[in-house]
Amino acid sequence: MKPQDIVVLAKLLSYQKKKKNWTQATLAEELCLSSSQVNYALKRLLQAKLLGPIFNKDDNGGKKLVPIIQFCEEFLIHGFKFVFPPEFGSQSPGLPTAYAAPPLNKIIVSGNV
């Protein structure tokens, strides 16, 4: 899985509540992703069994992908931390804050001086 898969899943879950129809193009536009990213995310979500096809009677027997709520809930509560574990690195100095960087460090004095 990739992080954008979770974003696509969350958007599909929000559509379920609103009973909103969607296409890959509208999904891509609303999430600021490319159509191919959405397509691959849907394929990965199907493979992970977080989405499932249902047959739509209104669309002449076409298939529609919908989130499987029980699996999504279980994954988001219990599985998410295993798929995307936090990675802690070593400490690094970073960049000085605006008041600590030259030339402002001579004009602005911090609290413990």
Side-chain angles (χ1 to χ4, degrees), residues 57-86:
K57 294 178 184 176
D58 300 335
D59 197 18
N60 297 327
K63 288 192 288 186
K64 178 182 169 186
L65 295 176
V66 294
I68 302 171
I69 303 298
Q70 295 89 350
F71 293 166
C72 292
E73 184 178 287
E74 186 175 343
F75 170 72
L76 292 172
I77 292 172
H78 301 291
F80 192 80
K81 63 184 174 186
F82 297 107
V83 177
F84 301 107

Side-chain angles (χ1 to χ4, degrees), residues 6-75:
I6 305 304
V7 175
V8 171
L9 180 62
K11 191 66 169 177
L12 291 175
L13 287 167
S14 76
Y15 285 161
Q16 283 294 107
K17 191 170 186 172
K18 299 175 188 176
K19 305 283 187 201
K20 184 176 177 182
N21 291 328
W22 57 271
T23 64
Q24 287 187 23
T26 59
L27 200 58
E29 184 180 333
E30 290 181 15
L31 295 174
C32 299
L33 296 171
S34 70
S35 295
S36 62
Q37 285 178 308
V38 170
N39 184 280
Y40 287 126
L42 292 173
K43 287 180 181 181
R44 286 188 291 269
L45 290 168
L46 266 168
Q47 186 178 16
K49 306 272 191 276
L50 295 173
L51 292 182
I54 62 167
F55 293 97
N56 193 356
K57 294 178 184 176
D58 300 335
D59 197 18
N60 297 327
K63 288 192 288 186
K64 178 182 169 186
L65 295 176
V66 294
I68 302 171
I69 303 298
Q70 295 89 350
F71 293 166
C72 292
E73 184 178 287
E74 186 175 343
F75 170 72

